[in-house]
Amino acid sequence: MSVDETVDGGLDEPAGLEPAQGSLDLAGPEDQHDLADWEAATAAVLRKARRMSDEDPDSLVWDKLTRTTLDGIAVPPLGTARLLDDLQTSGRPTRAGDWDIRAHLAGSDAKALNETALVDLTGGVTSLWLEVADDADLATLLATVLLDLAPVTLDTTGDQLALAHAFLDVLGDTTPAPGTNLGGSGDQAVEVARLAQEHGVLGIVVDATRIHDRGASDAQELGWSMAVAAGHLRALTEAGLGVHEAAGLTEFRYAATDEQFPTIAKLRAARRLWARVVELSEGTRAEQRQHAVTSRPMMSRYDPYVNMLRTTVAAFAAGVGGADSVTVL
């Protein structure tokens, strides 16, 4: 391809540059390869590793390198145009705009967590995920944090309602930042959701990373999250809320892994599933709010550099997949 062909093909010419004279080959014949060339080069590597014999055809590399996910989906080693043959879709369920960078803070030392939070917020973090006890000293933990700018999501295995009230006491007359979530779930979901509705914040978290951490597949993670969310919808509507109100109080938390394309697909599938659940509940279409967290099971205990690469891929996949908030552990 020549520079002239590129410009004529529709790309805008950079301002201040004169049109190219003649043609400039960006790739010579020796740099142009087809699928058969890739198969041959890959087969040579597999033969050297004794995973293929000299008698095996080069095309066997597809069988050797295709892997199957826990859900039985075959993932080939190379993406090609032919994978899109006969594919039917109805658009990409995602979102637009910047995603929120959410720091995870856990522990019991409120002063130390406050110092960490302020450093993170100064460094570019835009929201906080607090995994603390229900009697945590939130006044110390959130000292000088601008709660009208930085959303806070609460998370406790104790009394969720007590922690929610403690946070609202710290919030005072400050208007909470959009995305603030009191973190209700389980038996306390209705009480926390009512409190959240009164104060104009989110109130429910459906945390599917809990079963991902225990070995669930992508499909199992999605199915579990929909089952839990449907249970919350039932409880909240029975308590007097409308379907759309209840759905609007809910945030979903999913794991993002170094399996880039399955992660993107999972987050997009989650949005479609939630829209279908709301539709079947006779509610208006509700956009799913997603918080993606890099997978704990994918992490290595001994090699931080491998973990940096894995979390980089996972965070990228979360953003492309359409997550509203992303946490890199």
Side-chain angles (χ1 to χ4, degrees):
M1 179 182 291
S2 69
V3 171
D4 287 339
E5 290 170 336
T6 302
V7 174
D8 291 341
L11 294 180
D12 292 332
E13 187 173 326
L17 294 181
E18 295 295 327
Q21 300 297 319
S23 63
L24 173 65
D25 288 333
L26 300 180
E30 71 279 3
D31 297 317
Q32 299 175 1
H33 305 284
D34 57 19
L35 200 57
D37 295 329
W38 177 83
E39 290 177 351
T42 305
V45 175
L46 294 184
R47 290 187 180 104
K48 186 175 181 180
R50 298 184 179 179
R51 295 183 60 185
M52 287 177 56
S53 68
D54 292 338
E55 291 74 29
D56 289 330
D58 291 349
S59 59
L60 188 63
V61 298
W62 294 96
D63 292 334
K64 292 291 185 180
L65 296 179
T66 293
R67 58 182 181 75
T68 303
T69 69
L70 291 173
D71 299 307
I73 300 172
V75 180
L78 189 68
T80 63
R82 68 184 181 186
L83 294 175
L84 302 179
D85 290 347
D86 301 322
L87 179 67
Q88 295 183 2
T89 184
S90 57
R92 298 178 179 178
T94 185
R95 56 176 293 279
D98 300 335
W99 59 80
D100 166 47
I101 305 169
R102 183 170 296 177
H104 177 241
L105 302 176
S108 57
D109 188 335
K111 189 173 186 302
L113 292 178
N114 174 256
E115 292 173 355
T116 300
L118 295 178
V119 169
D120 286 345
L121 290 167
T122 301
V125 160
T126 51
S127 72
L128 302 175
W129 167 21
L130 306 184
E131 189 173 0
V132 294
D134 55 21
D135 60 351
D137 182 2
L138 294 185
T140 299
L141 200 164
L142 296 173
T144 71
V145 173
L146 302 180
L147 298 177
D148 56 336
L149 299 178
V152 171
T153 294
L154 303 179
D155 187 354
T156 183
T157 56
D159 189 333
Q160 298 168 4
L161 196 59
L163 185 64
H165 278 296
F167 171 76
L168 292 173
D169 287 342
V170 173
L171 185 67
D173 295 330
T174 302
T175 300
T180 297
N181 196 321
L182 301 185
S185 63
D187 295 338
Q188 292 188 293
V190 172
E191 292 178 289
V192 176
R194 284 187 183 279
L195 190 63
Q197 189 180 37
E198 292 173 8
H199 290 81
V201 297
L202 303 178
I204 302 293
V205 173
V206 177
D207 187 0
T209 66
R210 292 169 51 191
I211 66 159
H212 168 84
D213 292 351
R214 298 179 182 181
S217 69
D218 291 335
Q220 290 169 339
E221 187 180 347
L222 290 172
W224 184 91
S225 71
M226 291 302 120
V228 171
H232 286 152
L233 279 184
R234 290 190 188 97
L236 292 174
T237 53
E238 288 173 359
L241 276 72
V243 172
H244 190 69
E245 290 177 304
L249 292 172
T250 305
E251 182 176 54
F252 291 75
R253 185 176 295 144
Y254 292 109
T257 76
D258 55 354
E259 298 287 356
Q260 175 178 320
F261 296 114
T263 293
I264 294 171
K266 177 172 69 176
L267 295 178
R268 291 180 175 177
R271 290 185 181 277
R272 285 187 169 168
L273 289 169
W274 180 233
R276 182 61 173 153
V277 167
V278 173
E279 178 186 4
L280 291 173
S281 303
E282 300 182 351
T284 56
R285 182 179 178 85
E287 294 296 327
Q288 185 188 57
R289 185 174 182 85
Q290 293 180 344
H291 173 204
V293 183
T294 56
S295 168
R296 293 178 179 88
M298 77 174 179
M299 302 292 274
S300 165
R301 176 174 295 183
Y302 302 107
D303 194 336
Y305 300 102
V306 167
N307 288 340
M308 290 169 65
L309 292 172
R310 290 174 179 171
T311 53
T312 296
V313 174
F316 174 80
V320 173
D324 296 273
S325 302
V326 179
T327 295
V328 178
L329 298 179

